[in-house]
């Protein structure tokens, strides 16, 4: 059988092993022949998959673009609502934390109902939250609408947008996911000037109402995420799939009995031999992102302390954002190359990110800061782009929504804890460079965890090969 057929068999076996208890587009479709004739089958790696990538790209561009423009609204919200800077700044952090930490629950919803309905519902909820925030007369009401309600909606949009295109690709799956993730940087740079223009002409309330319309428009992007049950299967692989399905029938029945005991995670996932490796990856990813979020808050004050102008210091963040977007695309592209394991990309990315973070606090000129942080952004972007391919390689396609949801939740915790801990360290040592040193130390810890995960993966593969022999 050709390489393409072997790849398709493997992907179908993964889908039957880890997603069999889900409903909707996450489960094998059992229907009569007349029903099958009414369903339009879609070939993998076709133009339909790129339509899904486009819709997912726009969704991520909107939700991250909205989230990262909070700083532009800071002064207006402080003046109108009479709140302190730290309190108003918390609204943006709370939104990112909520939409990230909702990942496991959203992953379960995706398993139960599919990517399309979850994404559409999330767009409607986010639109409602933004609209409610635009009528707020106190910071509390703004927090409820902008941070809590919209944060939940963004969480329901984000995860389906990342994993929705994966079932429709074989050859360029990692690249497709990487392109979707590039929407974050593009959305930030696109919405920032638009937000500034609306803010200066009409005020922050109309900014929120404009965001509400954008979120509502993402309903159409969610409709572009076709159900995975519409994917066409090769006839040559049907017998292999049916035999795998019958061999898993006993495990499925046992899993069904345990469904009520597990609200978030699929019990079948715990039986995966690579689940222990996944837990180590969670620790590695948390350590990495604990450090990654620190420079975006503490690098500009460090640059100012080194006699760099405030305008140039702020542009460092833009440089990091641009290179991060390029890195996300590159990470997905590299993971699709033959012979390149996503572990290689992830470990190399963290090592390359740790180097500039450890030496940047010793620099004194603007161009040194600029080049080092550009390398930092590129490396961390590659890490983001390789995360989903790594989960796919280890645990299979059908486990992606739940495992990526857990990964996103840990990143949310890192986003809420990393910058404040670094701030406490800076205040204690009276050294703005201590924040970047802390960032480097956590990245080094991440490298150690990733190496442990690689070793664990090697042991699991050898045990599997021994059992097969």
């Amino acid at each position: 059988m050709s390489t393409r057929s072997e790849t398709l068999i493997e992907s179908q076996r993964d889908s039957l092993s880890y997603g069999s208890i889900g409903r909707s587009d996450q489960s094998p479709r059992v229907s009569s022949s007349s029903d099958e004739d009414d369903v339009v089958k879609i070939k993998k790696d076709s133009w339909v998959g790129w339509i899904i990538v486009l819709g997912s790209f726009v969704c991520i561009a909107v939700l991250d673009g909205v989230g990262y423009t909070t700083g532009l609204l800071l002064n207006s919200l402080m003046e109108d609502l009479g709140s302190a800077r730290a309190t108003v700044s918390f609204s943006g952090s709370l939104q990112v934390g909520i939409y990230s930490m909702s990942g496991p629950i959203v992953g379960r919803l995706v398993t139960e109902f599919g990517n399309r309905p979850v994404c559409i519902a999330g767009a409607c909820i986010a639109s409602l939250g933004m609209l409610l925030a635009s009528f707020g007369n106190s910071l509390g009401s703004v927090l409820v609408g902008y941070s809590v309600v919209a944060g939940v909606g963004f969480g329901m949009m984000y995860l389906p947008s990342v994993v929705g295109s994966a079932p429709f690709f074989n050859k360029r799956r990692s690249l497709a996911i990487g392109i979707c993730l590039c929407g974050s940087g593009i959305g930030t740079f696109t919405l920032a000037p638009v937000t500034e223009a609306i803010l200066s002409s009409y005020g922050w309330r109309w900014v929120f109402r404009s965001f509400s319309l954008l979120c509502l428009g993402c309903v159409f992007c969610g409709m572009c995420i076709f159900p995975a049950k519409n994917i066409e299967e090769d006839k040559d692989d049907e017998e292999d799939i049916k035999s795998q399905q019958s061999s898993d029938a006993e495990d499925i029945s046992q899993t069904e009995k345990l469904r009520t005991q597990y609200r978030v995670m699929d019990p079948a996932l715990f039986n995966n031999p690579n689940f222990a490796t996944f837990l180590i990856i969670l620790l590695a990813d948390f350590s990495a992102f604990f450090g990654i979020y620190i420079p975006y808050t503490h690098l500009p004050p460090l640059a100012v302390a080194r006699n760099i102008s405030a305008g140039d210091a702020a542009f460092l963040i833009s440089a990091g954002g641009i290179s991060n977007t390029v890195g996300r695309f590159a990470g997905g592209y590299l993971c699709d190359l033959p012979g390149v394991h996503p572990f290689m990309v992830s470990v190399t990315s963290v090592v390359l990110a740790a180097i500039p973070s450890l030496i940047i606090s010793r620099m004194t000129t603007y161009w040194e800061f600029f080049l080092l942080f550009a390398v930092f952004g590129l490396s961390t972007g590659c890490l983001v782009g390789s995360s989903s391919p790594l989960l796919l390689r280890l645990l299979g396609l059908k486990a992606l929504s739940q495992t990526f949801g857990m990964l996103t939740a840990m990143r949310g915790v890192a986003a809420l804890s990393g910058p404040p801990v670094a701030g406490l360290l800076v205040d204690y040592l009276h050294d703005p460079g201590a924040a970047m040193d802390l960032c480097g130390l956590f990245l080094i810890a991440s490298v150690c965890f990733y190496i442990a995960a690689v070793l664990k993966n090697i042991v699991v593969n050898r045990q599997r090969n021994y059992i097969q022999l």
Side-chain angles (χ1 to χ4, degrees):
M1 185 178 291
S2 65
T3 303
R4 178 179 180 276
S5 299
E6 294 173 354
T7 304
L8 181 57
I9 293 174
E10 183 180 353
S11 65
Q12 293 291 346
R13 286 175 176 173
D14 287 339
S15 67
L16 289 167
S17 298
Y18 304 112
S20 52
I21 70 170
R23 301 193 202 110
S24 188
D25 61 338
Q26 300 297 324
S27 59
R29 186 176 187 270
V30 180
S31 62
S32 63
S33 59
S34 60
D35 290 337
E36 291 178 352
D37 294 337
D38 296 334
V39 178
V40 178
K41 294 296 183 179
I42 302 171
K43 292 184 178 180
K44 288 192 175 184
D45 297 303
S46 67
W47 62 271
V48 176
W50 295 111
I51 295 295
I52 300 174
V53 169
L54 177 61
S56 300
F57 177 92
V58 174
C59 281
I60 294 178
V62 169
L63 67 92
D64 275 346
V66 169
Y68 291 136
T69 55
T70 305
L72 299 176
L73 307 174
L74 189 62
N75 292 330
S76 297
L77 291 172
M78 289 170 56
E79 293 175 2
D80 287 1
L81 302 178
S83 300
R85 180 179 297 271
T87 308
V88 177
S89 300
F90 179 69
S91 62
S93 299
L94 180 62
Q95 183 195 87
V96 174
I98 287 177
Y99 100 64
S100 297
M101 288 187 288
S102 65
I105 298 175
V106 175
R108 188 59 179 176
L109 291 175
V110 167
T111 301
E112 291 291 327
F113 304 107
N115 291 300
R116 175 188 279 179
V118 174
C119 185
I120 292 175
C124 294
I125 293 173
S127 177
L128 177 61
M130 288 294 173
L131 186 61
L132 292 175
S134 70
F135 292 100
N137 294 318
S138 66
L139 181 61
S141 58
V142 172
L143 284 174
V144 170
Y146 177 77
S147 301
V148 179
V149 179
V152 171
F154 284 162
M156 296 175 68
M157 292 168 60
Y158 179 71
L159 195 145
S161 298
V162 174
V163 305
S165 62
F168 293 84
F169 290 91
N170 270 335
K171 298 179 181 179
R172 302 183 184 276
R173 178 179 291 167
S174 301
L175 177 62
I177 296 175
I179 293 175
C180 294
L181 292 170
C182 287
S184 177
I186 301 299
T188 301
F189 284 100
T190 302
L191 282 184
V194 175
T195 300
E196 185 65 36
I198 298 175
L199 181 64
S200 60
S201 300
Y202 302 102
W204 63 270
R205 296 184 186 275
W206 279 102
V207 171
F208 281 159
R209 289 162 190 166
S210 300
F211 288 166
S212 177
L213 288 176
L214 283 176
C215 294
L216 190 62
C218 287
V219 169
F220 298 99
C221 297
M223 294 173 65
C224 294
I225 304 178
F226 293 92
K229 65 182 180 182
N230 289 4
I231 299 176
E232 185 179 67
E233 299 172 0
D234 289 353
K235 294 182 179 179
D236 295 337
D237 302 321
E238 288 181 356
E239 294 183 0
D240 298 283
I241 297 170
K242 289 179 180 178
S243 62
Q244 178 69 23
Q245 187 175 11
S246 60
S247 65
D248 290 341
E250 182 178 352
D251 294 335
I252 292 173
S253 61
Q254 294 296 325
T255 300
E256 288 287 344
K257 296 178 182 179
L258 296 173
R259 284 186 63 189
T260 56
Q261 301 179 17
Y262 296 84
R263 297 291 182 180
V264 177
M265 295 300 297
D266 186 340
L269 183 61
F270 300 117
N271 298 325
N272 191 301
N274 284 322
F275 184 71
T277 307
F278 167 67
L279 294 179
I280 302 175
I281 292 174
L282 277 183
L283 292 175
D285 194 80
F286 173 79
S287 299
F289 277 85
F290 188 98
I292 287 171
Y293 284 117
I294 290 175
Y296 291 94
T297 300
H298 295 281
L299 183 61
L302 172 62
V304 172
R306 299 295 186 266
N307 298 318
I308 295 173
S309 67
D312 288 340
F315 187 74
L316 291 173
I317 304 302
S318 299
I322 295 172
S323 59
N324 186 272
T325 302
V326 176
R328 294 181 182 212
F329 177 87
Y333 176 79
L334 290 173
C335 290
D336 276 333
L337 295 178
V340 177
H341 197 287
F343 261 133
M344 298 170 56
V345 181
S346 298
V347 175
T348 304
S349 299
V350 179
V351 171
L352 292 179
I355 295 173
S357 64
L358 288 171
I359 65 177
I360 197 171
S361 61
R362 281 77 181 170
M363 302 297 104
T364 56
T365 65
Y366 173 72
W367 288 109
E368 289 172 333
F369 274 87
F370 182 89
L371 291 176
L372 287 174
F373 196 58
V375 172
F376 180 89
L378 181 67
S379 303
T380 55
C382 284
L383 176 62
V384 174
S386 64
S387 298
S388 296
L390 178 57
L391 298 179
L392 281 166
R393 183 70 67 92
L394 287 176
L395 298 167
L397 178 61
K398 290 297 180 178
L400 179 60
S401 60
Q402 296 184 60
T403 54
F404 190 78
M406 292 182 64
L407 201 73
T408 303
M410 296 297 289
R411 291 176 181 180
V413 176
L416 290 176
S417 56
V421 171
L424 292 174
L425 183 64
V426 170
D427 291 340
Y428 179 77
L429 298 177
H430 302 287
D431 178 14
M436 294 304 300
D437 293 337
L438 181 66
C439 169
L441 290 176
F442 269 90
L443 288 171
I444 291 175
S446 176
V447 172
C448 296
F449 282 125
Y450 269 117
I451 292 175
V454 171
L455 295 176
K456 177 63 176 177
N457 186 56
I458 292 174
V459 171
V460 170
N461 287 337
R462 287 182 177 178
Q463 290 176 343
R464 183 185 292 114
N465 293 334
Y466 177 78
I467 293 174
Q468 290 177 352
L469 292 174

